[in-house]
Structures are given as structure tokens and as C-alpha cells.
DNA sequence: CCCCTGACTAGAA
DNA sequence: TTTCTAGCCAGGG
């Protein structure tokens, strides 16, 4: 178990239902800025009981291979998903 | 120790 | 707008 692993696991454990974060955010909060790739690599390796579905790509894009399942889980927590993409705190001009 | 792959990100074409 | 390239960290052969 490396420091990187428990750091990431701890961040994911600190997340709440409906709380969606990007790989970069997780890596940053874990104390490993720039290790976004490592986060994804770990989530695929780890068998721990972690809410991996709350982790999305930059811009809320579902980069996970099980994007379909991830979308369902996110919706179940009240997170609106649109065409494989989660509507983050996006309030662009002339939205909707 | 060296090389390749990957649930990533940001920038250029 | 979409597609491609370069840089990044960690793991495996």
C-alpha cells in the first residue's frame, strides 16, 4: 500500500453522495498534483470499496470504460448525466 | 535500470 | 466544433 493509494482512497472516502470530482481534483486533494493518470490507473487496479463512479474526467466527461454503469450510479445519486457527460457547476451563457 | 501502457489534461491544428 | 500531439505520474514487463 503506497502513500499515493491511501491518499486517493481517503479523498474518495471523503466524498459525499452526489459529489462529483475530476481525476485532477482527486490527485490534487490527495497531495499528488498532476497524477490524474495515476488516479485512473489506481481506480482500475484497486479492489477497495471506493465510490469510483464519483470520479469523472475533465469537464465532467465520463472517461471510465463502464461509463454506462457510472452514469446510472450518478443519476441514482441525483447527478444529471447528459450524453456521457455530467452537468457540473456549469452555468455558461445562454445555457439550456 | 530501461521501455511501454493507461479510468488524464491542456494546447495546437 | 472535432482530432491530434506533448507532458504528466504510477505500475508492469
Amino acid at each position: 500500500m503506497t502513500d499515493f493509494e491511501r491518499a486517493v482512497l481517503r479523498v474518495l472516502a471523503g466524498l459525499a453522495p452526489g459529489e462529483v470530482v475530476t481525476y485532477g481534483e482527486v490527485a490534487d486533494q490527495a497531495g499528488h498534483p498532476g497524477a490524474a493518470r495515476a488516479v485512473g490507473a489506481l481506480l482500475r487496479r484497486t479492489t477497495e470499496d471506493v465510490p469510483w463512479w464519483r470520479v469523472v474526467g475533465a469537464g465532467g466527461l465520463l472517461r471510465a470504460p463502464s461509463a454506462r454503469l457510472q452514469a446510472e450510479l450518478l443519476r441514482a445519486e441525483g447527478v444529471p448525466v447528459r450524453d456521457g457527460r455530467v452537468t457540473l457547476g456549469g452555468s455558461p451563457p445562454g445555457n439550456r
Side-chain angles (χ1 to χ4, degrees):
Chain A
M1 180 66 88
T2 68
D3 174 72
F4 173 71
E5 286 184 70
R6 13 178 201 269
V8 175
L9 265 49
R10 191 165 69 74
V11 173
L12 297 179
L15 295 174
E19 184 64 61
V20 181
V21 295
T22 69
Y23 294 92
E25 287 290 290
V26 176
D28 179 64
Q29 293 178 38
H32 290 245
R37 293 193 86 158
V39 174
L42 174 62
L43 289 183
R44 99 170 308 200
R45 276 182 45 63
T46 191
T47 72
E48 303 301 309
D49 183 39
V50 288
W52 57 269
W53 58 90
R54 290 177 193 158
V55 184
V56 300
L61 226 178
L62 300 180
R63 306 288 290 215
S66 303
R68 185 67 72 93
L69 176 63
Q70 185 173 24
E72 289 185 60
L73 293 167
L74 288 172
R75 285 191 186 186
E77 297 192 339
V79 180
V81 182
R82 207 53 155 180
D83 190 60
R85 185 166 15 175
V86 300
T87 58
L88 295 173
S91 304
N95 74 36
R96 188 163 69 92

